[in-house]
Amino acid sequence: MEALQRPSLVLFIFSLLSLLVSSSSSDIQIVNAERRIDLTSHIVRAFLTLKVENKGTSAASEVFLAFPPTEAEHLALVKAQAAVGKKKRRTYVPLDVKPTELPDAPNGAKHFSIILLNPLSSGETATLEVLYILTHSLEPFPKEISQSESQLVYYRDSALILSPYHVKQQTSFIKAPSTKVESFTNVEPTNRAGTELKYGPYEDRPPYSYSPIIIHFENNHPFAVVEELIREVEISHWGSLQITESYKLFHAGARHKGVFSRVEYQSRPSVSGVSSFKHLLARLPPRVHSVYYRDEIGNVSSSHLRTDSRKSELEIEPRYPLFGGWKSTFVIGYGLPLQDFLFESPDGRRYLNFTFGCPLAETVVDKLIIKVVLPEGSKDPSAVVPFPVEQHLEVKYSYLDVVGRTVLVLEKKNVIPDHNIPFQVYYTFNPIFMLAEPLMLTSAFFLFFTACVAYLHMDLSIRK
């Protein structure tokens, strides 16, 4: 009889815990929400300010964010921070944000969990600042334009902030790059002033409220997208760090139709090809040297390098301007002093401290591959990256290599300029391996000269 009662007791406890979890999540309410969406670039940045309140009886340790599936597939980054202190002395503390799943989420909404610094007690409020960034969220319409036409795009969103909580009051501000807005969805109250659209305020909206909107506006910002970037960082303990970057660049805006006229493009630059681009700016580390820029034809001389003690900027110009749908492939290479990026940890391991991401400004990278080539003889490589990436090992053979060099490969999709933050690669290295190549060269020269001396002293003549 007791054995039959145990499963029912376990089920009762599990159902009670699930009710407590669901009630604790529904006990959070958003007192005020303000969202500001920046559409001035082809990278959409949204700033969300939430004032949350715990209406329940138990403390809450996390707050959930919700995104519709159409936004979730283009989501590149989600960051959150908490406002601490009063207005004059307010500081912001970063918070951990992790993807999570809620069983009651409607229509495949994707959720993220914001871990609070301190659990939010009953009746307490907290202010959270959230930044989320979207890529490939502007749809060109019309899809094809001529050289003399401006680029128009669609942006689709919701006038109401998608949230798993009840929202007492909310307002959304959407900023366009210019006053040329063709049309927009009107959800009362909606106001437009200059380049900004205001949706709201809306009051007392239930969880997962959604009101779709479409904004059709002009955006001639160059849609620079790198379809694939292979970045190779080769470490040499003889004092240098060699970087080689292979780009497959693509203009993701409205496709160009008709015939391209370079005469019209150069004579009327403010009208002809306003959505195209012919310059790219690469922000490189300081003290860079041996910089080169070439494509499939050969070296490209139309580049300018500006360096100082804090940064280096390389302005490159492809052989032809890029219109919508056009592509360009090229390679950038440069050297760096090793002492600026290679250090030794307290446990005796060596580690490389380098910048993740793409050095090109305001560029989206669909697929980024970073290959860190370690010196021959390196062991136990490991990477510390502040966001999820795929990792695997390869082997590369170079000049005078015997066993090959270990290559740590990091891969990430949907990379934006906000991912340009330092990462570390740790490894162990025995300094005796630095003598391998000099000893091989010395031995080869010694054997060569020994063979020459032996040949000179040999008598190969035929005698009686």
Side-chain angles (χ1 to χ4, degrees), residues 23 56 64 92 96 99 119 129 147 156 181 193 196 199 209 229 242 263 275 284 307 339 369 392 399 416 419-420:
S23 63
F64 296 106
Y92 294 93
D96 292 334
E129 301 280 348
Q147 185 174 336
R156 306 173 190 270
V181 178
E196 191 173 73
Y199 284 92
S209 297
L229 168 57
Q242 186 62 40
V263 175
S275 62
L284 306 180
T307 61
Q339 63 270 21
I369 301 175
H392 66 272
Y399 303 105
I416 56 175
H419 287 124
N420 293 357

Side-chain angles (χ1 to χ4, degrees), residues 119-348:
L120 196 63
S121 302
S122 176
E124 287 187 344
T125 61
T127 302
L128 305 178
E129 301 280 348
V130 180
L131 166 65
Y132 62 92
I133 301 177
L134 305 170
T135 61
H136 301 288
S137 295
L138 301 182
E139 177 188 352
F141 187 82
K143 295 185 178 297
E144 294 184 352
I145 58 175
S146 63
Q147 185 174 336
S148 59
E149 290 180 305
S150 296
Q151 180 174 259
L152 299 176
V153 297
Y154 275 143
Y155 175 69
R156 306 173 190 270
D157 207 325
S158 170
L160 302 176
I161 300 171
L162 189 68
S163 175
Y165 308 114
H166 179 270
V167 184
K168 291 188 67 176
Q169 187 176 14
Q170 59 179 303
T171 310
S172 295
F173 299 90
I174 301 178
K175 184 180 181 181
S178 67
T179 58
K180 296 181 180 180
V181 178
E182 297 291 318
S183 62
F184 59 90
T185 306
N186 191 359
V187 181
E188 291 294 337
T190 303
N191 296 313
R192 178 189 172 190
T195 62
E196 191 173 73
L197 290 170
K198 179 183 178 182
Y199 284 92
Y202 306 109
E203 297 182 354
D204 293 326
R205 300 292 177 167
Y208 294 108
S209 297
Y210 193 80
S211 180
I213 60 173
I214 299 178
I215 304 174
H216 192 205
F217 61 98
E218 183 185 75
N219 188 340
N220 288 316
H221 191 279
F223 285 29
V225 176
V226 178
E227 293 181 322
E228 184 180 69
L229 168 57
I230 301 177
R231 197 178 193 192
E232 186 176 274
V233 183
E234 186 172 348
I235 303 174
S236 174
H237 284 174
W238 293 100
S240 66
L241 197 69
Q242 186 62 40
I243 316 297
T244 306
E245 299 171 351
S246 301
Y247 291 86
K248 293 181 179 179
L249 187 65
F250 174 65
H251 192 309
R255 293 190 299 269
H256 175 73
K257 68 177 181 179
V259 180
F260 168 65
S261 173
R262 184 172 288 273
V263 175
E264 181 183 353
Y265 184 79
Q266 293 179 347
S267 60
R268 303 172 61 194
S270 61
V271 178
S272 177
V274 290
S275 62
S276 66
F277 61 93
K278 58 180 179 179
H279 296 284
L280 292 170
L281 181 64
R283 295 186 174 95
L284 306 180
R287 301 179 63 186
V288 68
H289 62 84
S290 305
V291 182
Y292 64 87
Y293 161 49
R294 66 170 183 264
D295 58 7
E296 296 177 350
I297 299 177
N299 185 60
V300 184
S301 58
S302 55
S303 60
H304 306 280
L305 179 64
R306 298 183 294 270
T307 61
D308 55 33
S309 59
R310 294 177 297 176
K311 65 179 184 305
S312 301
E313 292 183 346
L314 176 64
E315 183 179 312
I316 63 177
E317 181 179 345
R319 295 185 183 273
Y320 49 86
L322 289 181
F323 286 80
W326 293 13
K327 299 182 179 182
S328 176
T329 58
F330 56 90
V331 177
I332 298 176
Y334 51 93
L336 294 168
L338 187 66
Q339 63 270 21
D340 294 349
F341 303 93
L342 191 66
F343 308 94
E344 186 172 352
S345 61
D347 58 358

Side-chain angles (χ1 to χ4, degrees), residues 61-65 78 80 95-101 111-116:
S61 59
E62 59 184 355
V63 175
F64 296 106
L65 297 174
V78 181
L95 302 176
D96 292 334
V97 181
K98 300 178 180 179
T100 187
E101 293 184 2
H111 293 80
F112 286 83
S113 172
I114 302 177
I115 310 301
L116 301 177

Side-chain angles (χ1 to χ4, degrees), residues 83-103:
V84 180
K86 297 181 180 180
K87 291 185 177 180
K88 293 183 179 180
R89 297 183 179 179
R90 177 169 293 181
T91 58
Y92 294 93
V93 181
L95 302 176
D96 292 334
V97 181
K98 300 178 180 179
T100 187
E101 293 184 2
L102 294 183

